[in-house]
Amino acid sequence: MASGGLPRMGSLRHPSSSRSYLSARAGCCLSACCQGMYPCSREPGPGCHHHRRHQQQRQQQQRRRPGRSLAPVKAVVEEVQRGLVLAESQSGWLAGLGKPVLQSTLASLLAYLAAAWPDRPRGWSRKDLLEVRESPIQGLGVFAKRPIAAATVLGAYPGRPRSPTEMAAKIAATPAAAAYCFQNGRGQLLDPTDRSGEPSARPAPGLAWLPVDATLCRVNEPPAGSAGPNVEIQDDPRDPHGILFVASRVVAPGEELWIDYGPAFDRSKYEQG
């Protein structure tokens, strides 16, 4: 660390001092704003390439920073816009629609994506490591296709975020949905089922969205007398609704994945034996 607790920048470090410095001719504020710690209070001079470079780095870091939920939405809109421009340049059929119509269409698309984004379905899994097939325990299960190292993140539990009121209403109408609803450590609920209460890549009800990977809602609990769960559940630090499945130990090829459903799960229908 450089003097004052700021990160050291080797390219600006004076050979005879532990402080970073910048030539007064550059016209930039001293080191702190260039190192991304504080906003710049002075305009950069014509030769302040260091300021411009680090300003670009800060902007790139902000675009990658978790929690900026509309960034993927804007990226989709920009991609659509580029596609429309390309299509118009190649065929000309869009020219008849007029620029106002295109702008209105893009604005409507952005509004829809912004509305759907917070409650969009979650869900993904390591398809290279996992497969779904019949389980000797019950129904379908998830199995390791190859060796899985301990602490490997296997995916995120699928489902749409639901409020307690919404989930209670759905369970009242479709009791089967209760078996798949999951709650994370923050108290957020995920529902991976369709209107019939069965797991689905398109959980419903909710605004239309792309299908998700529903693999992990097929993970079973270990039977009595087994070695216990080989997967643990963790909150996703990048998503307040997210639930991650992480291998708690080494999992052998062909071994079924097991988790603990938690103390609130109704096990009264389990077979006795």
Side-chain angles (χ1 to χ4, degrees), residues 23-36:
S23 170
R25 295 175 58 188
C28 178
C29 57
L30 181 65
S31 72
C33 75
C34 290
Q35 297 179 51

Side-chain angles (χ1 to χ4, degrees), residues 91-219:
S91 63
W93 68 270
L94 288 173
L97 294 178
K99 189 173 182 180
V101 175
L102 295 179
Q103 291 177 338
S104 176
T105 301
L106 288 173
S108 298
L109 177 60
L110 178 58
Y112 179 86
L113 293 175
W117 180 257
D119 293 330
R120 71 195 184 282
R122 274 72 167 166
W124 63 273
S125 71
R126 289 286 303 271
K127 292 290 192 181
D128 59 320
L129 298 177
L130 309 176
E131 63 179 350
V132 176
R133 53 186 171 89
E134 289 189 10
S135 169
I137 299 176
Q138 181 182 5
L140 297 175
V142 181
F143 295 80
K145 294 166 62 175
R146 60 188 66 182
I148 299 175
T152 299
V153 177
L154 303 173
Y157 193 75
R160 282 187 182 275
R162 305 280 188 210
S163 70
T165 301
E166 291 171 336
M167 199 64 227
K170 181 168 183 177
I171 292 173
T174 314
Y180 297 97
C181 176
F182 243 90
Q183 183 179 47
N184 67 13
R186 306 180 185 100
Q188 305 295 329
L189 301 173
L190 283 180
D191 168 28
T193 64
D194 57 19
R195 294 182 185 275
S196 69
E198 291 299 316
S200 173
R202 299 179 183 274
L207 294 175
W209 198 260
L210 298 174
V212 297
D213 181 353
T215 295
L216 294 182
C217 66
R218 299 293 186 181
V219 178

